[in-house]
């Protein structure tokens, strides 16, 4: 391959394909419009000025577009992070909040370097489905307040926006339907002077770019001990939501992403955001769905432009953006929630075939997230439930069968299955110590020893036979089981 051809192969798609460029630019614009009211709302939750949430969304999106591991994923100020740091801001002020954001970023970099992303492999599919469905429910629920106690024109505007979002893609996909819907409804409300809630009603938009600086806090051990618990909680919540979102985008786009790079990238983005006076954030699932699933974006350009357009819209076109009716953005988010929900997972045919334990894990995940409004809580509870269900299921797979030995003085027991703390507990009672032959062979060629509990159980079986003057021989151990057994056998009980 010639150097020129090799160079062309390294060029991003949006540099060589005008269609990709158009898709990425328009997607970034749609996401930027959707970010404005969300960032302002999350600022209110955190108890800070709306400009701080908007600055955070700008810096998070721009930085993660360069250092993140998942292309086309949107990171910005989020409700989960706002909920974590709101008490710190309320009790100690903005300076401590910003310091906590910087420390959270440092912790995320450290956790990413230590390989925390590898823990994603332990999240089962039922938890992932519950995560997606609860996300869709939360997105829908966050739009409900925008439809309460509002002027009646909001409802026909919402219906019109939904109609455009549903039917326009069937006619043309040259321009994203959300962008057309926002533009049409804005022109209609402004042209007809229809009084409805607008983006401007959410709060004042910033008029200048953020300026870097240090947090206004004493650099002391007391400050560190104050912010550390909040920073650690923010780091964990941010990483969990970001990694789950990255995995979701992987599935949607059928591509792989660097989870370790994403973890470290989230930390870097939060550090930068903190030094620019922002409230921090993580991956935004709703806006990511707009970018990837609704608008069709696939590159880092859309993520970068979402942040860049956000500041341009606020600073240059602030008066115009302020006139966008909230009904238009609510319509977009409702469509996102319906597109995000895995309807196949609750279809009667699917539920009829699914094991009851899998359904329970999914329901618990959804219920926990909806009850707490915290995706991290749902994922943790769902994963723990899945582990319990799995342990209970495989505990019954271990079996003991007595077979004739080579002579009258020998009895062979064949043990099959996985031996671990749950399955080995009942193993002791499966042998007839009193009437068995004087020599007992326990054949483990069809079994595997996973933990110390199983080694202790085998030792207990041997002790019971020895008390009756009988000998026990364990055979058929595979290499890992033999290694574990040789290291721990006889060492697990007090002398």
């Amino acid at each position: 391959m010639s150097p020129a051809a090799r160079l062309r192969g390294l060029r991003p798609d949006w540099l060589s394909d005008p269609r990709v460029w158009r898709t990425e630019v328009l997607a970034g614009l749609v996401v930027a419009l959707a970010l404005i009211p969300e960032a302002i709302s999350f600022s209110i939750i955190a108890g800070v000025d709306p400009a701080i949430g908007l600055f955070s969304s700008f810096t998070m999106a721009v930085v993660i577009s360069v250092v993140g591991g998942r292309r086309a994923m949107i990171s910005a100020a989020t409700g989960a992070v706002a909920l974590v740091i709101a008490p710190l801001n309320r009790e100690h002020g903005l300076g401590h909040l910003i310091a906590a954001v910087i420390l959270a970023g440092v912790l995320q970099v450290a956790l990413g370097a230590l390989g925390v992303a590898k823990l994603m492999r332990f999240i089962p599919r039922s938890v992932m489905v519950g995560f997606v469905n609860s996300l869709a429910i939360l997105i829908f629920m966050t739009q409900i307040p925008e439809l309460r106690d509002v002027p009646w024109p909001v409802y026909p505007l919402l219906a019109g926006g939904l109609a455009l979002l549903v039917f326009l893609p069937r006619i043309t996909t040259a321009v994203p339907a959300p962008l057309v819907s926002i533009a049409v409804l804005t022109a209609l409300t402004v042209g007809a002077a229809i009084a409805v809630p607008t983006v401007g009603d959410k709060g004042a938009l910033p008029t200048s770019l953020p300026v870097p600086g240090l947090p206004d806090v004493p650099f002391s051990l007391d400050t560190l001990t104050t912010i550390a618990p909040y920073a650690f909680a923010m780091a964990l919540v941010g990483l969990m939501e970001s990694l789950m979102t990255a995995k979701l985008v992987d599935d949607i786009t059928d591509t792989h992403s660097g989870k370790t790079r994403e973890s470290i990238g989230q930390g870097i983005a939060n550090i930068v955001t903190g030094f620019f006076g922002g409230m921090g954030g993580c991956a935004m699932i709703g806006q990511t769905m707009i970018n990837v699933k609704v608008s069709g974006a696939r590159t880092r350009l859309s993520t970068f432009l979402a942040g860049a357009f956000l500041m341009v819209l606020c600073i240059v076109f602030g008066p115009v953006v302020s006139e966008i009716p909230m009904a238009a953005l609510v319509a977009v988010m409702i469509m996102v929630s319906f597109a995000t929900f895995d309807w196949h997972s609750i279809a009667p045919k699917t539920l009829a075939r699914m094991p009851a334990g899998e359904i329970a894990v999914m329901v618990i995940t959804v219920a926990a997230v909806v009850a707490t409004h915290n995706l991290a809580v749902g994922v943790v509870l769902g994963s723990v439930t899945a582990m319990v269900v799995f342990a209970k299921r495989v505990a019954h797979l271990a079996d003991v069968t007595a077979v004739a030995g080579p002579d009258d003085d020998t009895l062979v027991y064949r043990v099959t299955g996985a031996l671990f703390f749950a399955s080995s507990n009942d193993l002791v009672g499966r042998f007839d110590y009193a009437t068995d032959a004087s020599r007992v062979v326990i054949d483990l060629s069809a079994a595997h020893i996973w933990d110390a509990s199983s080694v202790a159980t085998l030792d207990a079986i041997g002790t019971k036979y020895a008390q009756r003057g009988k000998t026990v021989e364990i055979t058929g151990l595979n290499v890992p089981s033999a290694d574990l057994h040789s290291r721990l056998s006889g060492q697990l009980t007090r002398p």
Side-chain angles (χ1 to χ4, degrees):
M1 183 182 292
S2 67
R6 190 179 298 111
L7 182 62
R8 284 195 299 270
L10 294 174
R11 295 172 65 188
D13 292 340
W14 53 267
L15 279 179
S16 55
D17 191 338
R19 292 172 299 178
V20 175
W21 168 268
R22 184 182 65 241
T23 298
E24 299 298 312
V25 171
L26 294 176
L29 180 57
V30 172
V31 171
L33 290 168
L35 275 174
I36 293 174
E38 295 283 299
I40 294 174
S41 297
F42 298 147
S43 300
I44 295 171
I45 292 174
V48 299
D49 188 89
I52 293 176
L54 292 165
F55 288 154
S56 297
S57 297
F58 162 61
T59 53
M60 287 292 298
V62 169
V63 174
I64 204 67
S65 70
V66 178
V67 300
R70 173 65 259 178
R71 293 180 296 174
M73 191 167 77
I74 304 297
S75 290
T78 60
V81 169
L83 288 170
V84 170
I85 60 178
L88 178 63
N89 180 63
R90 186 169 55 250
E91 296 171 13
H92 299 280
L94 181 61
H96 282 74
L97 182 152
I98 294 173
V101 170
I102 296 173
L103 180 58
V106 173
L107 291 173
Q108 287 178 328
V109 171
L111 290 171
L114 290 173
V116 70
K118 295 178 181 178
L119 296 177
M120 287 295 295
R121 71 182 68 178
F122 296 105
I123 298 178
R125 182 185 179 279
S126 52
V127 174
M128 190 67 193
V129 173
F131 169 82
V132 171
N133 289 346
S134 58
L135 158 67
I137 294 170
L138 283 187
I139 293 174
F140 183 82
M141 289 175 63
T142 56
Q143 307 311 307
I144 299 301
E146 304 296 339
L147 302 176
R148 290 176 179 163
D149 302 321
V150 293
W152 69 265
V154 167
Y155 302 109
L157 286 172
L158 175 66
L162 291 173
L164 283 170
L165 292 169
V166 171
F167 296 110
L168 184 61
R170 301 180 183 181
I171 301 173
T172 179
T173 56
V175 181
L179 186 59
V180 174
S181 177
I182 292 170
V184 169
L185 294 187
T186 302
L188 179 62
T189 54
V190 173
I194 302 174
V196 291
T198 64
V199 170
D201 297 331
K202 287 288 183 180
L205 302 181
T207 57
S208 62
L209 290 171
V211 178
L214 295 175
D216 184 18
V217 294
F219 291 89
S220 63
L221 182 61
D222 183 60
T223 299
L224 180 61
T225 55
T226 299
I227 67 174
Y230 297 96
F232 187 66
M234 175 183 166
L236 291 182
V237 168
L239 281 181
M240 187 173 294
E241 292 209 24
S242 298
L243 292 175
M244 291 290 286
T245 304
K247 190 175 186 302
L248 177 60
V249 178
D250 289 352
D251 295 339
I252 292 173
T253 61
D254 197 24
T255 58
H256 176 71
S257 61
K259 303 301 187 301
T260 297
R261 177 177 174 179
E262 182 61 39
S263 301
I264 296 173
Q266 288 290 330
I268 294 173
N270 273 305
I271 292 171
V272 173
T273 297
F275 281 118
F276 275 91
M279 57 181 275
C282 61
M284 286 196 81
I285 308 171
Q287 271 63 25
T288 297
M289 291 299 101
I290 293 176
N291 196 46
V292 174
K293 202 164 187 177
V294 178
S295 302
R298 293 292 183 271
T299 76
R300 297 178 184 274
L301 180 63
S302 58
T303 305
F304 176 84
L305 289 179
F309 281 148
L310 175 63
M311 281 294 98
V312 172
L313 289 170
C314 291
I315 296 172
V316 180
F317 300 102
V320 177
V321 173
S322 296
E323 296 297 327
I324 295 175
M326 285 302 300
L329 298 176
V330 170
V332 172
M333 297 309 295
I334 288 177
M335 284 302 299
V336 169
S337 70
F338 274 85
T340 301
F341 197 92
D342 186 352
W343 297 101
H344 177 71
S345 67
I346 61 170
K349 289 184 179 180
T350 303
L351 294 177
R353 296 173 181 174
M354 285 279 287
E358 300 282 321
I359 297 174
V361 169
M362 181 178 69
V363 171
I364 288 172
T365 302
V366 173
V369 172
V370 173
T372 64
H373 284 222
N374 191 324
L375 292 162
V377 171
V379 171
V380 170
L381 286 179
S383 298
V384 170
T385 304
M387 292 177 188
V388 173
V389 170
F390 174 77
K392 184 178 180 181
R393 183 181 302 164
V394 299
H396 300 292
L397 297 180
D399 193 24
V400 180
T401 305
V403 296
D407 53 62
D408 293 340
D409 293 330
T410 302
L411 178 65
V412 177
Y413 281 100
R414 286 185 57 84
V415 180
T416 60
L419 301 183
F420 67 112
F421 63 90
S423 61
S424 61
N425 281 339
D426 298 329
L427 207 61
V428 177
R430 305 292 294 277
F431 297 85
D432 192 351
Y433 304 99
T435 61
D436 281 348
S438 60
R439 178 173 178 267
V440 175
V441 176
I442 300 177
D443 181 8
L444 296 178
S445 57
H448 185 94
I449 299 176
W450 287 103
D451 60 6
S453 296
S454 301
V455 176
T457 298
L458 292 173
D459 285 352
I461 293 170
T463 300
K464 286 182 177 293
Y465 276 114
Q467 290 171 347
R468 293 166 175 79
K470 302 176 182 181
T471 61
V472 175
E473 180 184 357
I474 296 176
T475 63
L477 289 170
N478 56 36
V479 175
S481 298
D483 178 64
L484 183 64
H485 186 266
S486 64
R487 284 190 289 111
L488 297 180
S489 181
Q491 306 297 319
L492 299 173
T493 58
R494 294 181 181 179

